[in-house]
Amino acid sequence: MKQYEKIRMLLFMMAGLFVSYFLILHIMKASIFSKVITLCISSCLLMILAYVTYQEEKRLKQKSNTIRQIVLVLVFLYLFELISFLFFEHGFGRNGIGSISFSNNVYQTYFKTSFNIIPFRVILFYIVGWIKGTQAFSHMVINLVGNFVSFIPFAFFLPIFSPKFLKTKYFFIFISILVVVIEILQMVLLTGSCDIDDWILNVSGTCFSYLLLKKYHIYQKLKKVVG
């Protein structure tokens, strides 16, 4: 067996083990930290596997669907974790469809405690709270930075798999509507919060990354690799 094939096989087995462990952690309802770390390791191994495959295909002047399949696995893992976190992560008060209630009192309480349509209200709450010492730095990072980066992967894979998203207006409209739908679902399911500041952070983080990738012509390079 050639050295290249040995490396690929080793990376494939390691990635497979970590992906399997990642899925098992969700069944076991493990902590969000352990799931995110496992997801990061799995993603890194898959990206290395894609790079090794690309270099070998480039050397042999051959093209296959292997890299595209690896990217699709990465997309699946990301969407799986995103949905799990947004709707089913118990540590953050998410209980999925089990939270649905037909009681007006329950929704009245939700609107008082977990609903916000005033822009920058929650953002300023965490920043001012941290400055005054009433909010921990870790809480501010989790809520603000976490929301800013959580949808960034969409900036990578949407334009690759659908060329129409190379047009900024289509990308912005799609992300804006997607986040609105998610916020409404969280309100209906009474899981998490329905917050305009979440929308601001989610959309701004994703669009900033999109514009940065577009400015430096990263999409053309990624398209050549993924196919």
Side-chain angles (χ1 to χ4, degrees), residues 6-16 45-46 48-50 52:
K6 291 181 180 179
I7 294 173
R8 274 195 67 190
M9 184 59 66
L10 178 62
L11 287 169
F12 178 80
M13 289 190 296
M14 290 176 64
L45 288 169
L46 287 168
I48 294 171
L49 177 60
V52 171

Side-chain angles (χ1 to χ4, degrees), residues 118-121 123 147-148 179 195-206:
I118 302 174
F120 303 105
R121 178 183 179 183
I123 293 174
N147 274 308
F148 188 81
V179 177
D195 189 349
I196 185 65
D197 284 355
D198 286 350
W199 183 90
I200 292 171
L201 290 168
N202 293 157
V203 173
S204 60
T206 309

Side-chain angles (χ1 to χ4, degrees), residues 106-123:
V106 173
Y107 278 101
Q108 286 175 2
T109 302
Y110 180 87
F111 283 122
K112 289 179 181 179
T113 60
S114 303
F115 184 80
N116 172 47
I117 57 173
I118 302 174
F120 303 105
R121 178 183 179 183
V122 174
I123 293 174

